Amino acid sequence: MRIITEIQQMKTEIEKQKNRKRSIGFVPTMGYLHDGHLSLVNMTKKSADVTVMSIFVNPLQFGPGEDFDSYPRDAERDISIAEANGVDILFMPQRENMYPKPMSSSIVVQKGTDVLCGASRPGHFDGVATVVMKLLQIVKPDYAAFGMKDVQQVAVIERLVEDYHLDVMILRGNIVREEDGLAMSSRNVRLKTEERLEASAIYQILNEAANRIREHDFSSPEEAEVFAKERMAEALSAEIDYIECLSFPDLSKQGDFTSGDWILAAAVRYSEVRLIDNILIQEGERSCTEK
Ligand code: AMP
């Protein structure tokens, strides 16, 4: 595995690979790797000849008072995990490389950010879109994999690719979970013992509500939200940031369950960490048995 920290070196390496007619798969991450990240590596390895992973904790996507400073970091651990799991090139730029001076322009995401994390983290997706655009310019991948754990990020990036005619195919990775159902996240290590124990209820409640959506038990998306909110308020000591049931991928609120895919998504805040999770309810899963 090659480790590259300089942008110019990365571009030269990519050019070399492209000259050899090798396709490039890309997995952008903020590190502190877990099986969720590695499932994306497996996806790109199936689609492309060379897998590039980036590790960069992007300051632009953290708001004031958020956990940029305390975000878990362990470069040595990440290097050995990436190497053991078939990453070919690990790109680990420094902040000074990525942002040598303040940006004179930035990408402002105008659609789909008035809901979910976009509503509670103003500017977050502008920071995400800006760094992803920079990384795509450097790595020039044929495929880039993003996890459905960050479902709004997937929606934003897919639109970015469409809006700017980018020559990359976005691969959506399913959410990888711990045994008890908690969605894997680098931030999970910052949960206190009792918080970690109860946190599996986030998935369990979303799953129960999602199954009831599939069974046509709720007359509206709002009813599903109310159900999940009440159950989570009982089960968790965390503060509930949001629970929203939206059509996907446009992320719009609807009065009724119209056709198409839906997501039921939640964010909760513990003392040191904010967790997100969601469940995708695909059209085919609820098409029959109208009650
Ligand atoms: P992060 O390092 O948290 O920025 O995540 C990097 C990529 O891994 C993003 O595309 C995430 O959506 C994805 N990811 C994070 N956690 C999971 C998970 N539990 N399952 C699948 N993908 C994930």
Side-chain angles (χ1 to χ4, degrees):
M1 183 179 78
R2 277 203 72 181
I3 301 172
I4 296 179
T5 55
E6 300 297 326
I7 291 172
Q8 194 46 53
Q9 215 181 335
M10 189 68 213
K11 287 185 166 181
T12 307
E13 177 65 28
I14 293 293
E15 208 180 311
K16 218 164 76 187
Q17 299 292 345
K18 296 220 166 190
N19 285 340
R20 292 186 194 149
K21 304 275 179 257
R22 297 205 175 138
S23 57
I24 311 285
F26 181 41
V27 180
T29 82
M30 298 205 296
Y32 213 75
L33 300 179
H34 52 69
D35 286 351
H37 300 117
L38 300 178
S39 71
L40 302 179
V41 170
N42 282 335
M43 287 183 82
T44 56
K45 285 185 80 66
K46 280 187 194 131
S47 306
D49 302 318
V50 176
T51 285
V52 179
M53 173 187 273
S54 65
I55 296 183
F56 180 62
V57 184
N58 172 36
L60 230 59
Q61 69 191 67
F62 289 80
E66 292 188 351
D67 59 350
F68 175 74
D69 290 328
S70 59
Y71 194 85
R73 293 167 170 89
D74 188 339
E76 289 311 310
R77 175 180 174 276
D78 284 346
I79 289 168
S80 57
I81 293 176
E83 179 146 43
N85 287 277
V87 171
D88 300 299
I89 302 171
L90 186 59
F91 181 44
M92 303 176 87
Q94 294 298 305
R95 182 180 183 155
E96 306 73 63
N97 305 125
M98 289 296 281
Y99 301 108
K101 47 190 169 189
M103 298 278 289
S104 67
S105 65
S106 73
I107 295 175
V108 177
V109 183
Q110 286 163 333
K111 283 209 165 29
T113 48
D114 53 342
V115 291
L116 308 175
C117 294
S120 32
R121 302 182 70 186
H124 169 68
F125 287 107
D126 299 346
V128 168
T130 302
V131 79
V132 169
M133 183 64 116
K134 275 171 160 288
L135 290 167
L136 292 176
Q137 296 307 311
I138 298 165
V139 179
K140 299 182 193 74
D142 301 280
Y143 304 90
F146 291 85
M148 285 292 279
K149 157 100 185 326
D150 298 276
V151 69
Q152 192 169 18
Q153 176 169 277
V154 169
V156 164
I157 300 300
E158 286 181 350
R159 279 302 309 268
L160 184 78
V161 166
E162 205 181 320
D163 287 349
Y164 288 92
H165 315 285
L166 305 181
D167 288 323
V168 58
M169 179 175 285
I170 301 300
L171 308 175
R172 294 178 184 172
N174 290 334
I175 301 178
V176 178
R177 300 181 177 282
E178 302 288 353
E179 250 173 46
D180 64 356
L182 178 66
M184 286 193 182
S185 164
S186 307
R187 290 183 167 102
N188 288 352
V189 292
R190 305 197 52 237
L191 288 169
K192 303 202 167 98
T193 314
E194 19 354 318
E195 294 172 343
R196 172 64 192 86
L197 278 175
E198 66 169 40
S200 59
I202 302 167
Y203 169 69
Q204 283 151 12
I205 292 166
L206 287 180
N207 197 33
E208 187 183 343
N211 282 335
R212 292 184 62 170
I213 293 171
R214 293 183 182 107
E215 300 292 322
H216 299 264
D217 267 358
F218 299 121
S219 59
S220 66
E222 195 188 348
E223 210 177 297
E225 291 170 359
V226 169
F227 169 83
K229 230 176 252 177
E230 282 176 8
R231 297 293 301 270
M232 276 200 211
E234 281 163 25
L236 302 177
S237 58
E239 179 197 328
I240 296 168
D241 185 350
Y242 64 73
I243 293 176
E244 291 185 69
C245 184
L246 305 173
S247 59
F248 180 77
D250 60 307
L251 304 181
S252 66
K253 273 189 191 299
Q254 306 283 346
D256 300 308
F257 282 109
T258 47
S259 60
D261 295 346
W262 291 82
I263 52 149
L264 182 64
V268 307
R269 268 177 222 283
Y270 282 105
S271 50
E272 306 271 310
V273 49
R274 182 174 169 280
L275 301 181
I276 58 171
D277 198 355
N278 71 85
I279 292 188
L280 176 68
I281 300 120
Q282 287 174 295
E283 174 159 28
E285 295 177 313
R286 56 184 309 279
S287 54
C288 335
T289 62
E290 188 88 42
K291 277 194 177 169

